[in-house]
Amino acid sequence: MFPAERPRRLRRTPALRRLVAETTLSPVDFVAPLFVAEGRDEPRAISALPGHFQHTLSSLHEEVRALHAAGVGGVILFGVPEEKDEFGSGAWDPRGIAQVALRSLRDEFGDDLVVMADLCLDEYTSHGHCGVLRSDGTVDNDATLELYGRTAVAQAEAGAAVVAPSGMMDGQVGAIRTALDDAGFEEIIIMAYAAKYASGLYGPFREAVGVEIANGGDRHGYQQDSRNRREALREARADVEQGADIVMVKPAMTYLDIVSDLRAELDVPLCAYHVSGEYAMVKAAGANGWIDEKAVAIEQLTAVRRAGADFVLTYFAREIAEELGR
Ligand code: PBG
């Protein structure tokens, strides 16, 4: 007896496979995370993120030009300040490095590609936490909200089209929406890091932004517990109710079930962050000749799309966009 079903018919040629593919992956689906450092003359390579740099303003512009030429959908900016303090005041300083860079990108690129600003305090606080601390060393949620509001307004004034709160404080989206609207920035989009897990995969990022959490601390008191799945939906629904325009799941590969759940339950645009550790693992195995890194990168980014994300924040943005464009 021959099998009645012959799925292999549809796999016979590249043209057939392309025609029946359920998922697409193209440069416009990528948002590139970029780091810009204050007071630096030369870009500095980030060893745990091969191909990535703490940029100067001018190397940042060059990189964004290349990303734009490759058709990438957007960029998300992280500032690396020279000085940090207890409150993270560099985050909302109009002369702070992120604001300087946003203004400068706005001047060159206008609305030609989507410029996003990560909105958090950890790059700017001396203790490395995402919010301000109480005297007992725990993060004060509500005092932090006010500072997030100020930061959002500073980023909007500097020309960010999207602000992306990543600190996982309760009520952060609502507080930021109110602050933006009160300042006349009704059009600024909020992309919420809605389901952000306390993950071991952020290591290379901390090198990239020079963040070390004081006293061997961690973020388990505000980021989500990787054992929890339903909780992600509660977090994301709360963000949408508070006015999030786009929601994110982070990290990506270890949380594809969450991406799939949120896709099924919510009707707002959804993205996932393929984080620094995910990139570093592929790069390291590739450098050892253990895997074909481009093939694995495309497979992983496709998986994120297949799970239901509309777009992906990824350190592979430029490399894979250029590869797809060949
Ligand atoms: C917090 C923030 C982090 C990342 C993005 N925003 C680090 C953290 O939560 O500790 C990590 C991104 C990555 O690993 O690529 N501002």
Side-chain angles (χ1 to χ4, degrees):
M1 261 325 266
F2 295 112
E5 281 251 19
R6 288 202 177 265
R8 286 187 54 195
R9 269 183 205 132
L10 296 174
R11 298 181 195 140
R12 195 173 52 82
T13 67
L16 274 168
R17 294 195 290 273
R18 189 172 64 217
L19 182 69
V20 301
E22 297 173 39
T23 308
T24 58
L25 186 69
S26 53
V28 74
D29 304 326
F30 304 148
V31 170
L34 296 172
F35 305 99
V36 60
E38 190 170 40
R40 192 175 286 294
D41 299 326
E42 293 287 331
R44 173 164 142 197
I46 301 161
S47 62
L49 287 176
H52 287 270
F53 298 86
Q54 285 188 354
H55 283 290
T56 64
L57 262 191
S58 102
S59 70
L60 177 73
H61 275 260
E62 274 172 49
E63 184 65 19
V64 178
R65 271 176 224 134
L67 288 161
H68 185 40
V72 164
V75 299
I76 181 162
L77 201 65
F78 296 88
V80 183
E82 262 181 323
E83 306 278 335
K84 304 183 187 225
D85 63 32
E86 204 183 330
F87 302 104
S89 61
W92 64 84
D93 182 347
R95 287 154 311 179
I97 183 60
Q99 279 66 259
V100 169
L102 287 167
R103 229 172 272 122
S104 173
L105 291 178
R106 180 97 211 153
D107 286 346
E108 177 171 347
F109 299 97
D111 283 323
D112 289 352
L113 86 173
V114 183
V115 176
M116 308 180 169
D118 181 83
L119 196 172
C120 197
L121 301 182
D122 66 323
E123 296 92 0
Y124 303 92
T125 52
S126 43
H127 44 73
H129 277 290
C130 297
V132 285
L133 300 185
R134 296 195 195 86
S135 51
D136 66 359
T138 57
V139 174
D140 186 337
N141 192 87
D142 296 7
T144 300
L145 295 183
E146 203 255 317
L147 305 182
Y148 284 1
R150 284 193 218 178
T151 304
V153 171
Q155 293 175 336
E157 270 167 358
V162 178
V163 299
S166 63
M168 291 300 281
M169 294 300 124
D170 293 336
Q172 63 184 11
V173 173
I176 289 166
R177 186 72 268 162
T178 304
L180 287 171
D181 291 352
D182 288 352
F185 291 114
E186 292 88 355
E187 289 186 351
I188 300 302
I189 291 163
I190 299 178
M191 178 170 88
Y193 286 67
K196 176 172 177 179
Y197 284 87
S199 172
L201 292 162
Y202 306 149
F205 174 91
R206 301 213 180 126
E207 181 203 332
V209 293
V211 167
E212 206 177 312
I213 308 176
N215 308 318
D218 59 47
R219 306 206 194 293
H220 289 271
Y222 38 103
Q223 298 180 347
Q224 282 179 243
D225 188 317
S226 62
R227 289 168 290 198
N228 296 346
R229 178 170 179 175
R230 291 190 304 266
E231 187 187 33
L233 194 51
R234 263 189 16 244
E235 283 276 2
R237 282 204 180 108
D239 283 356
V240 171
E241 274 162 27
Q242 289 169 41
D245 302 288
I246 303 173
V247 298
M248 188 203 293
V249 174
K250 178 187 174 184
M253 302 315 298
T254 1
Y255 299 92
L256 291 180
D257 54 336
I258 310 300
V259 174
S260 167
D261 286 355
L262 297 200
R263 178 68 298 155
E265 297 292 332
L266 303 174
D267 52 14
V268 294
L270 175 66
C271 62
Y273 198 147
H274 189 262
V275 300
S276 60
E278 300 179 275
Y279 174 83
M281 288 194 291
V282 175
K283 280 285 174 188
N288 275 296
W290 297 336
I291 60 172
D292 172 345
E293 66 182 63
K294 280 201 175 112
V296 173
I298 290 172
E299 184 177 337
Q300 293 198 354
L301 297 170
T302 302
V304 178
R305 295 262 304 133
R306 191 189 64 232
D310 297 302
F311 61 92
V312 193
L313 284 75
T314 172
Y315 299 92
F316 280 114
R318 179 170 170 185
E319 191 181 336
I320 299 302
E322 287 172 350
E323 177 72 18
L324 295 174
R326 256 189 262 281

